[in-house]
Amino acid sequence: MDPTNFGYDVADLTAKDRDHMIHPWVDLGLVKSREPLIVVEGEGATVTDARGHRMIDGIGGMWCVNVGYGRDEIAEAIADQARRLCYFSPFGIIGTPPSIEFAHRLTQYASGDLKHVFFTTGGSTAVDSALRFVQFLNNFLGRPQKKHIITREYAYHGSTLFSASVSGKPADRGNMDLITGTIHHLPSPNPYRRPDGMSLEAFCDAKVADLENKILELGAENVACFIAEPLLASGGVIVPPPGYQRRTWEICRKHDVLYISDEVVTGFGRLGHIFASKPMFDIEPDIITCAKGLTSGYVPLGAMLVSDRLYAALTETAGKGQFFANGFTYSAHPVACAAGMANLDILERENICARVQEIGPYFRERLGELAALDMVGDVRGSHFMVCVECSADKAKKTVPPAEWEVARRIFEKCMPKGLMVRPMGHLIVLSPPLVITRAQIDETVAVLRQGIVEVADDLVREGLIKH
Ligand SMILES: Cc1ncc(COP(=O)(O)O)c(C=O)c1O
């Protein structure tokens, strides 16, 4: 074993990875020619790779390690529950103390009458369950024609057939046989891409009108729901214009269209609230979906919260031989719910939401400084959800060709300097653990700046961009 490898045989792990791992969301054709990143430890807002190289985790695992790495309290809650009762079936009227208590605690944070929790195994299954719930409800209520779903381009809602079908990132849709016909994608509400000269207010009017026009075109009696992330996360941290969320929610109310707020990323402190829908965007959705920060990624868990109104309609099924036939072996997993409880204890005790409200704007503002760089077209986001968009021609907002792999090059420049960022084509996404310190934020900005400058210099040297 190579002694520089921090106790891990990196060559052996690399060979096994290449031969046996199928990684998600990756061009499998490139796996054999590229080194896998093997992450072995985490502490606070940092992770360490198999060679012993420590980095600030600018990704937060994958928008999820909200309370940070190395929390003994969560590890112990997981171990205690696994010893006491590792698992029992959630099907039927069966519960475990952690799942019952956790459902109760979550409803204390939800706005309005979102008082009923259905646990799933992650975000995709939460979204899938929410859509199936709406479908079942309308069929049961005798309005089977009300099944059209409205969503948006550049939304990301998951990777099951249903949740992938309501997602709208063009690159993810190739060669996939998704559900069509009943799913409608509105243009993305990305202010950066609004027509030249259009004000933010006029852009907001146009995006709200897109929704209402689509409902009218389909006939409100045929539209089941609108599904929306408050900020579109994986689509490139798209922040709709001010007032958009509230106004689209009002349109839904007006036309009896259910509103599903997908808070898989925005929840559990990332924007400074356990659920951001009401306090930040003044909406009271009919359903909220969540996952990720729900357990800070320590174990998988997702949930949908359903309003009293919808839940009450479903209790009308009693004795009619119909029920919501949806659920997973690992729904409401007691170990995951125990982790979720410990995670919520930490969020509460350490006032992490208040901390994010205080320090999140600093993170956003400091990253905003990068907008002055020639290769940066836009910096957008809120609190601990930020995206730096690179541009081949800043004035024309030109997207650099995919083969330049701009974001990947920046990622590779930043890693040796102690920062991990998430590269997505020409976008760099940042969503660190919420416990990141001010000093680590400053370091993140300094390293990322350096990485972008070096890549821009390389591109000039290669004759790809002119300065
Ligand atoms: C907004 C949103 N919804 C749903 C999902 C799917 O969650 P999961 O990957 O846990 O299935 C994601 C994942 O990134 C997401 O960002």
PDB file of all heavy atoms in Angstrom, residues 25 62-63 121-127 155-160 163 167 227-235 262-266 289-292 300-302 422, ligand 1:
ATOM      1  N   TRP A  25     -25.689   9.795 -12.767  1.00  0.00           N
ATOM      2  CA  TRP A  25     -25.510  11.099 -13.412  1.00  0.00           C
ATOM      3  C   TRP A  25     -24.089  11.292 -13.934  1.00  0.00           C
ATOM      4  O   TRP A  25     -23.468  12.322 -13.690  1.00  0.00           O
ATOM      5  CB  TRP A  25     -25.832  12.252 -12.438  1.00  0.00           C
ATOM      6  CG  TRP A  25     -27.226  12.208 -11.932  1.00  0.00           C
ATOM      7  CD1 TRP A  25     -27.618  11.728 -10.712  1.00  0.00           C
ATOM      8  CD2 TRP A  25     -28.421  12.603 -12.609  1.00  0.00           C
ATOM      9  NE1 TRP A  25     -28.987  11.819 -10.602  1.00  0.00           N
ATOM     10  CE2 TRP A  25     -29.496  12.357 -11.753  1.00  0.00           C
ATOM     11  CE3 TRP A  25     -28.673  13.156 -13.860  1.00  0.00           C
ATOM     12  CZ2 TRP A  25     -30.817  12.633 -12.086  1.00  0.00           C
ATOM     13  CZ3 TRP A  25     -29.991  13.433 -14.197  1.00  0.00           C
ATOM     14  CH2 TRP A  25     -31.039  13.174 -13.324  1.00  0.00           C
ATOM     15  N   MET A  62     -24.535  16.957  -1.048  1.00  0.00           N
ATOM     16  CA  MET A  62     -25.337  17.241  -2.257  1.00  0.00           C
ATOM     17  C   MET A  62     -26.525  18.066  -1.774  1.00  0.00           C
ATOM     18  O   MET A  62     -27.627  17.588  -1.683  1.00  0.00           O
ATOM     19  CB  MET A  62     -25.763  15.913  -2.891  1.00  0.00           C
ATOM     20  CG  MET A  62     -26.778  16.027  -3.988  1.00  0.00           C
ATOM     21  SD  MET A  62     -26.144  16.728  -5.468  1.00  0.00           S
ATOM     22  CE  MET A  62     -25.719  15.214  -6.324  1.00  0.00           C
ATOM     23  N   TRP A  63     -26.274  19.248  -1.365  1.00  0.00           N
ATOM     24  CA  TRP A  63     -27.229  20.174  -0.729  1.00  0.00           C
ATOM     25  C   TRP A  63     -27.805  19.582   0.550  1.00  0.00           C
ATOM     26  O   TRP A  63     -28.919  19.938   0.937  1.00  0.00           O
ATOM     27  CB  TRP A  63     -28.455  20.494  -1.583  1.00  0.00           C
ATOM     28  CG  TRP A  63     -28.477  20.571  -3.051  1.00  0.00           C
ATOM     29  CD1 TRP A  63     -28.678  19.547  -3.920  1.00  0.00           C
ATOM     30  CD2 TRP A  63     -28.396  21.759  -3.866  1.00  0.00           C
ATOM     31  NE1 TRP A  63     -28.719  20.018  -5.206  1.00  0.00           N
ATOM     32  CE2 TRP A  63     -28.556  21.354  -5.209  1.00  0.00           C
ATOM     33  CE3 TRP A  63     -28.209  23.102  -3.584  1.00  0.00           C
ATOM     34  CZ2 TRP A  63     -28.529  22.251  -6.273  1.00  0.00           C
ATOM     35  CZ3 TRP A  63     -28.196  23.996  -4.643  1.00  0.00           C
ATOM     36  CH2 TRP A  63     -28.354  23.563  -5.969  1.00  0.00           C
ATOM     37  N   THR A 121     -38.475   7.520   1.115  1.00  0.00           N
ATOM     38  CA  THR A 121     -37.071   7.127   1.238  1.00  0.00           C
ATOM     39  C   THR A 121     -36.115   8.210   0.747  1.00  0.00           C
ATOM     40  O   THR A 121     -34.906   8.053   0.834  1.00  0.00           O
ATOM     41  CB  THR A 121     -36.830   5.861   0.399  1.00  0.00           C
ATOM     42  OG1 THR A 121     -37.290   6.140  -0.936  1.00  0.00           O
ATOM     43  CG2 THR A 121     -37.599   4.679   0.950  1.00  0.00           C
ATOM     44  N   GLY A 122     -36.646   9.295   0.190  1.00  0.00           N
ATOM     45  CA  GLY A 122     -35.796  10.371  -0.336  1.00  0.00           C
ATOM     46  C   GLY A 122     -36.676  11.377  -1.050  1.00  0.00           C
ATOM     47  O   GLY A 122     -37.917  11.300  -0.980  1.00  0.00           O
ATOM     48  N   GLY A 123     -36.038  12.301  -1.771  1.00  0.00           N
ATOM     49  CA  GLY A 123     -36.784  13.367  -2.420  1.00  0.00           C
ATOM     50  C   GLY A 123     -37.614  12.882  -3.600  1.00  0.00           C
ATOM     51  O   GLY A 123     -38.764  13.302  -3.776  1.00  0.00           O
ATOM     52  N   SER A 124     -37.032  12.016  -4.430  1.00  0.00           N
ATOM     53  CA  SER A 124     -37.763  11.550  -5.619  1.00  0.00           C
ATOM     54  C   SER A 124     -39.037  10.822  -5.213  1.00  0.00           C
ATOM     55  O   SER A 124     -40.101  11.015  -5.826  1.00  0.00           O
ATOM     56  CB  SER A 124     -36.908  10.581  -6.442  1.00  0.00           C
ATOM     57  OG  SER A 124     -35.690  11.156  -6.786  1.00  0.00           O
ATOM     58  N   THR A 125     -38.924   9.992  -4.192  1.00  0.00           N
ATOM     59  CA  THR A 125     -40.105   9.233  -3.778  1.00  0.00           C
ATOM     60  C   THR A 125     -41.109  10.122  -3.042  1.00  0.00           C
ATOM     61  O   THR A 125     -42.304   9.813  -3.012  1.00  0.00           O
ATOM     62  CB  THR A 125     -39.712   8.011  -2.923  1.00  0.00           C
ATOM     63  OG1 THR A 125     -38.772   8.420  -1.916  1.00  0.00           O
ATOM     64  CG2 THR A 125     -39.099   6.909  -3.767  1.00  0.00           C
ATOM     65  N   ALA A 126     -40.630  11.218  -2.469  1.00  0.00           N
ATOM     66  CA  ALA A 126     -41.564  12.177  -1.856  1.00  0.00           C
ATOM     67  C   ALA A 126     -42.374  12.866  -2.965  1.00  0.00           C
ATOM     68  O   ALA A 126     -43.595  12.992  -2.880  1.00  0.00           O
ATOM     69  CB  ALA A 126     -40.804  13.211  -1.026  1.00  0.00           C
ATOM     70  N   VAL A 127     -41.667  13.294  -4.024  1.00  0.00           N
ATOM     71  CA  VAL A 127     -42.349  13.950  -5.142  1.00  0.00           C
ATOM     72  C   VAL A 127     -43.280  12.963  -5.842  1.00  0.00           C
ATOM     73  O   VAL A 127     -44.441  13.271  -6.150  1.00  0.00           O
ATOM     74  CB  VAL A 127     -41.311  14.526  -6.138  1.00  0.00           C
ATOM     75  CG1 VAL A 127     -41.964  14.939  -7.450  1.00  0.00           C
ATOM     76  CG2 VAL A 127     -40.579  15.703  -5.506  1.00  0.00           C
ATOM     77  N   ALA A 155     -36.644  22.789 -13.907  1.00  0.00           N
ATOM     78  CA  ALA A 155     -36.967  22.254 -12.579  1.00  0.00           C
ATOM     79  C   ALA A 155     -36.222  20.939 -12.411  1.00  0.00           C
ATOM     80  O   ALA A 155     -35.896  20.271 -13.400  1.00  0.00           O
ATOM     81  CB  ALA A 155     -38.465  21.999 -12.482  1.00  0.00           C
ATOM     82  N   TYR A 156     -35.930  20.575 -11.177  1.00  0.00           N
ATOM     83  CA  TYR A 156     -35.474  19.203 -10.916  1.00  0.00           C
ATOM     84  C   TYR A 156     -36.276  18.661  -9.747  1.00  0.00           C
ATOM     85  O   TYR A 156     -36.287  19.252  -8.657  1.00  0.00           O
ATOM     86  CB  TYR A 156     -33.965  19.131 -10.604  1.00  0.00           C
ATOM     87  CG  TYR A 156     -33.583  17.681 -10.376  1.00  0.00           C
ATOM     88  CD1 TYR A 156     -33.530  16.791 -11.448  1.00  0.00           C
ATOM     89  CD2 TYR A 156     -33.357  17.182  -9.097  1.00  0.00           C
ATOM     90  CE1 TYR A 156     -33.259  15.448 -11.255  1.00  0.00           C
ATOM     91  CE2 TYR A 156     -33.080  15.833  -8.902  1.00  0.00           C
ATOM     92  CZ  TYR A 156     -33.032  14.972  -9.985  1.00  0.00           C
ATOM     93  OH  TYR A 156     -32.780  13.641  -9.792  1.00  0.00           O
ATOM     94  N   HIS A 157     -36.956  17.539  -9.988  1.00  0.00           N
ATOM     95  CA  HIS A 157     -37.797  16.971  -8.927  1.00  0.00           C
ATOM     96  C   HIS A 157     -37.458  15.517  -8.629  1.00  0.00           C
ATOM     97  O   HIS A 157     -38.120  14.912  -7.782  1.00  0.00           O
ATOM     98  CB  HIS A 157     -39.277  17.103  -9.300  1.00  0.00           C
ATOM     99  CG  HIS A 157     -39.754  18.524  -9.390  1.00  0.00           C
ATOM    100  ND1 HIS A 157     -39.819  19.351  -8.296  1.00  0.00           N
ATOM    101  CD2 HIS A 157     -40.172  19.270 -10.455  1.00  0.00           C
ATOM    102  CE1 HIS A 157     -40.279  20.557  -8.680  1.00  0.00           C
ATOM    103  NE2 HIS A 157     -40.476  20.533  -9.971  1.00  0.00           N
ATOM    104  N   GLY A 158     -36.490  14.932  -9.317  1.00  0.00           N
ATOM    105  CA  GLY A 158     -36.111  13.582  -8.927  1.00  0.00           C
ATOM    106  C   GLY A 158     -35.895  12.641 -10.079  1.00  0.00           C
ATOM    107  O   GLY A 158     -35.918  13.021 -11.250  1.00  0.00           O
ATOM    108  N   SER A 159     -35.730  11.387  -9.715  1.00  0.00           N
ATOM    109  CA  SER A 159     -35.237  10.406 -10.666  1.00  0.00           C
ATOM    110  C   SER A 159     -36.091   9.137 -10.730  1.00  0.00           C
ATOM    111  O   SER A 159     -35.626   8.113 -11.219  1.00  0.00           O
ATOM    112  CB  SER A 159     -33.784  10.083 -10.280  1.00  0.00           C
ATOM    113  OG  SER A 159     -33.090   9.546 -11.348  1.00  0.00           O
ATOM    114  N   THR A 160     -37.309   9.168 -10.223  1.00  0.00           N
ATOM    115  CA  THR A 160     -38.261   8.101 -10.560  1.00  0.00           C
ATOM    116  C   THR A 160     -38.943   8.532 -11.860  1.00  0.00           C
ATOM    117  O   THR A 160     -38.795   9.684 -12.283  1.00  0.00           O
ATOM    118  CB  THR A 160     -39.343   7.947  -9.470  1.00  0.00           C
ATOM    119  OG1 THR A 160     -40.059   9.191  -9.373  1.00  0.00           O
ATOM    120  CG2 THR A 160     -38.732   7.601  -8.113  1.00  0.00           C
ATOM    121  N   SER A 163     -41.241  11.605 -11.124  1.00  0.00           N
ATOM    122  CA  SER A 163     -40.530  12.830 -10.711  1.00  0.00           C
ATOM    123  C   SER A 163     -39.574  13.302 -11.820  1.00  0.00           C
ATOM    124  O   SER A 163     -39.386  14.508 -12.009  1.00  0.00           O
ATOM    125  CB  SER A 163     -39.792  12.621  -9.385  1.00  0.00           C
ATOM    126  OG  SER A 163     -38.849  11.584  -9.475  1.00  0.00           O
ATOM    127  N   SER A 167     -39.567  16.905 -14.087  1.00  0.00           N
ATOM    128  CA  SER A 167     -38.330  17.686 -14.103  1.00  0.00           C
ATOM    129  C   SER A 167     -38.166  18.274 -15.502  1.00  0.00           C
ATOM    130  O   SER A 167     -38.754  17.776 -16.459  1.00  0.00           O
ATOM    131  CB  SER A 167     -37.130  16.803 -13.755  1.00  0.00           C
ATOM    132  OG  SER A 167     -37.282  16.313 -12.430  1.00  0.00           O
ATOM    133  N   ILE A 227     -46.358  22.085  -9.709  1.00  0.00           N
ATOM    134  CA  ILE A 227     -45.273  21.691  -8.792  1.00  0.00           C
ATOM    135  C   ILE A 227     -44.106  22.635  -9.020  1.00  0.00           C
ATOM    136  O   ILE A 227     -43.709  22.889 -10.167  1.00  0.00           O
ATOM    137  CB  ILE A 227     -44.867  20.206  -8.953  1.00  0.00           C
ATOM    138  CG1 ILE A 227     -43.709  19.887  -7.994  1.00  0.00           C
ATOM    139  CG2 ILE A 227     -44.521  19.814 -10.386  1.00  0.00           C
ATOM    140  CD1 ILE A 227     -43.496  18.407  -7.750  1.00  0.00           C
ATOM    141  N   ALA A 228     -43.552  23.162  -7.914  1.00  0.00           N
ATOM    142  CA  ALA A 228     -42.501  24.169  -8.046  1.00  0.00           C
ATOM    143  C   ALA A 228     -41.542  24.132  -6.866  1.00  0.00           C
ATOM    144  O   ALA A 228     -41.980  24.048  -5.711  1.00  0.00           O
ATOM    145  CB  ALA A 228     -43.133  25.555  -8.148  1.00  0.00           C
ATOM    146  N   GLU A 229     -40.255  24.200  -7.165  1.00  0.00           N
ATOM    147  CA  GLU A 229     -39.268  24.474  -6.115  1.00  0.00           C
ATOM    148  C   GLU A 229     -39.318  25.987  -5.869  1.00  0.00           C
ATOM    149  O   GLU A 229     -39.333  26.754  -6.839  1.00  0.00           O
ATOM    150  CB  GLU A 229     -37.860  24.136  -6.592  1.00  0.00           C
ATOM    151  CG  GLU A 229     -37.625  22.726  -7.068  1.00  0.00           C
ATOM    152  CD  GLU A 229     -36.439  22.664  -8.048  1.00  0.00           C
ATOM    153  OE1 GLU A 229     -35.296  22.646  -7.583  1.00  0.00           O
ATOM    154  OE2 GLU A 229     -36.671  22.644  -9.272  1.00  0.00           O
ATOM    155  N   PRO A 230     -39.277  26.440  -4.622  1.00  0.00           N
ATOM    156  CA  PRO A 230     -39.285  27.887  -4.377  1.00  0.00           C
ATOM    157  C   PRO A 230     -38.152  28.600  -5.130  1.00  0.00           C
ATOM    158  O   PRO A 230     -38.361  29.629  -5.764  1.00  0.00           O
ATOM    159  CB  PRO A 230     -39.118  27.998  -2.863  1.00  0.00           C
ATOM    160  CG  PRO A 230     -39.662  26.716  -2.325  1.00  0.00           C
ATOM    161  CD  PRO A 230     -39.329  25.667  -3.361  1.00  0.00           C
ATOM    162  N   LEU A 231     -36.947  28.046  -5.058  1.00  0.00           N
ATOM    163  CA  LEU A 231     -35.846  28.435  -5.937  1.00  0.00           C
ATOM    164  C   LEU A 231     -35.476  27.157  -6.681  1.00  0.00           C
ATOM    165  O   LEU A 231     -35.358  26.104  -6.057  1.00  0.00           O
ATOM    166  CB  LEU A 231     -34.614  28.923  -5.159  1.00  0.00           C
ATOM    167  CG  LEU A 231     -34.789  30.013  -4.106  1.00  0.00           C
ATOM    168  CD1 LEU A 231     -33.419  30.439  -3.569  1.00  0.00           C
ATOM    169  CD2 LEU A 231     -35.535  31.209  -4.645  1.00  0.00           C
ATOM    170  N   LEU A 232     -35.276  27.246  -7.985  1.00  0.00           N
ATOM    171  CA  LEU A 232     -34.968  26.024  -8.739  1.00  0.00           C
ATOM    172  C   LEU A 232     -33.506  25.673  -8.476  1.00  0.00           C
ATOM    173  O   LEU A 232     -32.601  26.423  -8.875  1.00  0.00           O
ATOM    174  CB  LEU A 232     -35.208  26.239 -10.232  1.00  0.00           C
ATOM    175  CG  LEU A 232     -36.671  26.459 -10.653  1.00  0.00           C
ATOM    176  CD1 LEU A 232     -37.095  27.907 -10.418  1.00  0.00           C
ATOM    177  CD2 LEU A 232     -36.887  26.096 -12.112  1.00  0.00           C
ATOM    178  N   ALA A 233     -33.297  24.572  -7.794  1.00  0.00           N
ATOM    179  CA  ALA A 233     -31.957  24.262  -7.301  1.00  0.00           C
ATOM    180  C   ALA A 233     -31.046  23.695  -8.405  1.00  0.00           C
ATOM    181  O   ALA A 233     -30.187  24.408  -8.944  1.00  0.00           O
ATOM    182  CB  ALA A 233     -32.060  23.299  -6.121  1.00  0.00           C
ATOM    183  N   SER A 234     -31.251  22.434  -8.746  1.00  0.00           N
ATOM    184  CA  SER A 234     -30.317  21.772  -9.670  1.00  0.00           C
ATOM    185  C   SER A 234     -30.372  22.347 -11.080  1.00  0.00           C
ATOM    186  O   SER A 234     -29.466  22.102 -11.882  1.00  0.00           O
ATOM    187  CB  SER A 234     -30.599  20.268  -9.721  1.00  0.00           C
ATOM    188  OG  SER A 234     -30.458  19.724  -8.438  1.00  0.00           O
ATOM    189  N   GLY A 235     -31.408  23.093 -11.373  1.00  0.00           N
ATOM    190  CA  GLY A 235     -31.484  23.744 -12.690  1.00  0.00           C
ATOM    191  C   GLY A 235     -30.548  24.931 -12.787  1.00  0.00           C
ATOM    192  O   GLY A 235     -30.513  25.613 -13.807  1.00  0.00           O
ATOM    193  N   ASP A 262     -41.873  22.008  -3.677  1.00  0.00           N
ATOM    194  CA  ASP A 262     -40.811  21.012  -3.508  1.00  0.00           C
ATOM    195  C   ASP A 262     -39.659  21.673  -2.748  1.00  0.00           C
ATOM    196  O   ASP A 262     -38.841  22.392  -3.319  1.00  0.00           O
ATOM    197  CB  ASP A 262     -40.363  20.497  -4.880  1.00  0.00           C
ATOM    198  CG  ASP A 262     -39.323  19.382  -4.756  1.00  0.00           C
ATOM    199  OD1 ASP A 262     -38.876  19.112  -3.617  1.00  0.00           O
ATOM    200  OD2 ASP A 262     -38.953  18.797  -5.788  1.00  0.00           O
ATOM    201  N   GLU A 263     -39.612  21.373  -1.455  1.00  0.00           N
ATOM    202  CA  GLU A 263     -38.596  21.978  -0.578  1.00  0.00           C
ATOM    203  C   GLU A 263     -37.475  20.992  -0.241  1.00  0.00           C
ATOM    204  O   GLU A 263     -36.872  21.068   0.828  1.00  0.00           O
ATOM    205  CB  GLU A 263     -39.268  22.484   0.708  1.00  0.00           C
ATOM    206  CG  GLU A 263     -40.173  23.682   0.499  1.00  0.00           C
ATOM    207  CD  GLU A 263     -39.868  24.816   1.472  1.00  0.00           C
ATOM    208  OE1 GLU A 263     -38.674  25.044   1.780  1.00  0.00           O
ATOM    209  OE2 GLU A 263     -40.834  25.445   1.928  1.00  0.00           O
ATOM    210  N   VAL A 264     -37.227  20.069  -1.160  1.00  0.00           N
ATOM    211  CA  VAL A 264     -36.176  19.076  -0.905  1.00  0.00           C
ATOM    212  C   VAL A 264     -34.827  19.766  -0.645  1.00  0.00           C
ATOM    213  O   VAL A 264     -34.053  19.338   0.206  1.00  0.00           O
ATOM    214  CB  VAL A 264     -36.098  18.067  -2.078  1.00  0.00           C
ATOM    215  CG1 VAL A 264     -34.815  17.253  -2.029  1.00  0.00           C
ATOM    216  CG2 VAL A 264     -37.309  17.138  -2.032  1.00  0.00           C
ATOM    217  N   VAL A 265     -34.568  20.845  -1.368  1.00  0.00           N
ATOM    218  CA  VAL A 265     -33.308  21.574  -1.156  1.00  0.00           C
ATOM    219  C   VAL A 265     -33.500  22.760  -0.205  1.00  0.00           C
ATOM    220  O   VAL A 265     -32.689  23.004   0.685  1.00  0.00           O
ATOM    221  CB  VAL A 265     -32.722  22.056  -2.496  1.00  0.00           C
ATOM    222  CG1 VAL A 265     -31.570  23.030  -2.278  1.00  0.00           C
ATOM    223  CG2 VAL A 265     -32.234  20.861  -3.321  1.00  0.00           C
ATOM    224  N   THR A 266     -34.588  23.506  -0.404  1.00  0.00           N
ATOM    225  CA  THR A 266     -34.734  24.783   0.317  1.00  0.00           C
ATOM    226  C   THR A 266     -35.073  24.609   1.799  1.00  0.00           C
ATOM    227  O   THR A 266     -34.950  25.568   2.564  1.00  0.00           O
ATOM    228  CB  THR A 266     -35.827  25.642  -0.345  1.00  0.00           C
ATOM    229  OG1 THR A 266     -37.018  24.850  -0.466  1.00  0.00           O
ATOM    230  CG2 THR A 266     -35.403  26.119  -1.718  1.00  0.00           C
ATOM    231  N   THR A 289     -42.946  18.838  -0.209  1.00  0.00           N
ATOM    232  CA  THR A 289     -42.076  17.666  -0.211  1.00  0.00           C
ATOM    233  C   THR A 289     -40.714  18.078   0.351  1.00  0.00           C
ATOM    234  O   THR A 289     -40.250  19.200   0.132  1.00  0.00           O
ATOM    235  CB  THR A 289     -41.890  17.112  -1.641  1.00  0.00           C
ATOM    236  OG1 THR A 289     -41.532  18.188  -2.512  1.00  0.00           O
ATOM    237  CG2 THR A 289     -43.151  16.458  -2.142  1.00  0.00           C
ATOM    238  N   CYS A 290     -40.084  17.161   1.079  1.00  0.00           N
ATOM    239  CA  CYS A 290     -38.766  17.468   1.644  1.00  0.00           C
ATOM    240  C   CYS A 290     -37.927  16.186   1.748  1.00  0.00           C
ATOM    241  O   CYS A 290     -38.461  15.071   1.659  1.00  0.00           O
ATOM    242  CB  CYS A 290     -38.885  18.157   3.008  1.00  0.00           C
ATOM    243  SG  CYS A 290     -39.795  17.223   4.234  1.00  0.00           S
ATOM    244  N   ALA A 291     -36.631  16.346   1.911  1.00  0.00           N
ATOM    245  CA  ALA A 291     -35.687  15.218   2.056  1.00  0.00           C
ATOM    246  C   ALA A 291     -34.350  15.845   2.464  1.00  0.00           C
ATOM    247  O   ALA A 291     -34.335  16.816   3.221  1.00  0.00           O
ATOM    248  CB  ALA A 291     -35.581  14.413   0.759  1.00  0.00           C
ATOM    249  N   LYS A 292     -33.259  15.343   1.975  1.00  0.00           N
ATOM    250  CA  LYS A 292     -31.924  15.933   2.169  1.00  0.00           C
ATOM    251  C   LYS A 292     -31.679  16.413   3.604  1.00  0.00           C
ATOM    252  O   LYS A 292     -31.361  15.634   4.479  1.00  0.00           O
ATOM    253  CB  LYS A 292     -31.692  17.040   1.150  1.00  0.00           C
ATOM    254  CG  LYS A 292     -31.639  16.491  -0.295  1.00  0.00           C
ATOM    255  CD  LYS A 292     -31.137  17.522  -1.260  1.00  0.00           C
ATOM    256  CE  LYS A 292     -31.265  17.092  -2.704  1.00  0.00           C
ATOM    257  NZ  LYS A 292     -30.195  16.287  -3.209  1.00  0.00           N
ATOM    258  N   PRO A 300     -30.865   8.001   4.515  1.00  0.00           N
ATOM    259  CA  PRO A 300     -31.882   8.477   3.576  1.00  0.00           C
ATOM    260  C   PRO A 300     -33.271   8.591   4.222  1.00  0.00           C
ATOM    261  O   PRO A 300     -33.662   7.721   4.993  1.00  0.00           O
ATOM    262  CB  PRO A 300     -31.918   7.392   2.489  1.00  0.00           C
ATOM    263  CG  PRO A 300     -30.717   6.537   2.727  1.00  0.00           C
ATOM    264  CD  PRO A 300     -30.361   6.663   4.166  1.00  0.00           C
ATOM    265  N   LEU A 301     -33.970   9.662   3.887  1.00  0.00           N
ATOM    266  CA  LEU A 301     -35.357   9.838   4.319  1.00  0.00           C
ATOM    267  C   LEU A 301     -35.971  10.968   3.499  1.00  0.00           C
ATOM    268  O   LEU A 301     -35.277  11.930   3.144  1.00  0.00           O
ATOM    269  CB  LEU A 301     -35.419  10.206   5.810  1.00  0.00           C
ATOM    270  CG  LEU A 301     -36.817  10.289   6.442  1.00  0.00           C
ATOM    271  CD1 LEU A 301     -37.475   8.907   6.509  1.00  0.00           C
ATOM    272  CD2 LEU A 301     -36.760  10.872   7.864  1.00  0.00           C
ATOM    273  N   GLY A 302     -37.228  10.849   3.198  1.00  0.00           N
ATOM    274  CA  GLY A 302     -37.955  11.939   2.555  1.00  0.00           C
ATOM    275  C   GLY A 302     -39.332  12.003   3.186  1.00  0.00           C
ATOM    276  O   GLY A 302     -39.727  11.120   3.953  1.00  0.00           O
ATOM    277  N   ARG A 422     -19.452  22.212  -6.873  1.00  0.00           N
ATOM    278  CA  ARG A 422     -20.189  21.296  -7.749  1.00  0.00           C
ATOM    279  C   ARG A 422     -20.202  21.834  -9.168  1.00  0.00           C
ATOM    280  O   ARG A 422     -20.792  22.882  -9.432  1.00  0.00           O
ATOM    281  CB  ARG A 422     -21.618  21.114  -7.237  1.00  0.00           C
ATOM    282  CG  ARG A 422     -22.393  20.147  -8.104  1.00  0.00           C
ATOM    283  CD  ARG A 422     -23.649  19.664  -7.436  1.00  0.00           C
ATOM    284  NE  ARG A 422     -24.391  18.818  -8.332  1.00  0.00           N
ATOM    285  CZ  ARG A 422     -25.717  18.770  -8.406  1.00  0.00           C
ATOM    286  NH1 ARG A 422     -26.432  19.504  -7.586  1.00  0.00           N
ATOM    287  NH2 ARG A 422     -26.309  17.970  -9.254  1.00  0.00           N
TER     288      ARG A 422
HETATM  289  C1  LIG B   1     -35.864  19.972  -5.552  1.00  0.00           C
HETATM  290  C2  LIG B   1     -35.544  18.514  -5.578  1.00  0.00           C
HETATM  291  N1  LIG B   1     -36.549  17.620  -5.520  1.00  0.00           N
HETATM  292  C3  LIG B   1     -36.320  16.299  -5.504  1.00  0.00           C
HETATM  293  C4  LIG B   1     -35.048  15.806  -5.564  1.00  0.00           C
HETATM  294  C5  LIG B   1     -34.818  14.326  -5.557  1.00  0.00           C
HETATM  295  O1  LIG B   1     -34.325  13.934  -4.322  1.00  0.00           O
HETATM  296  P1  LIG B   1     -33.535  12.557  -4.150  1.00  0.00           P
HETATM  297  O2  LIG B   1     -32.287  12.673  -4.940  1.00  0.00           O
HETATM  298  O3  LIG B   1     -33.342  12.467  -2.664  1.00  0.00           O
HETATM  299  O4  LIG B   1     -34.413  11.467  -4.639  1.00  0.00           O
HETATM  300  C6  LIG B   1     -33.970  16.688  -5.612  1.00  0.00           C
HETATM  301  C7  LIG B   1     -32.586  16.188  -5.654  1.00  0.00           C
HETATM  302  O5  LIG B   1     -31.638  16.919  -5.830  1.00  0.00           O
HETATM  303  C8  LIG B   1     -34.216  18.079  -5.642  1.00  0.00           C
HETATM  304  O6  LIG B   1     -33.222  18.959  -5.751  1.00  0.00           O
END
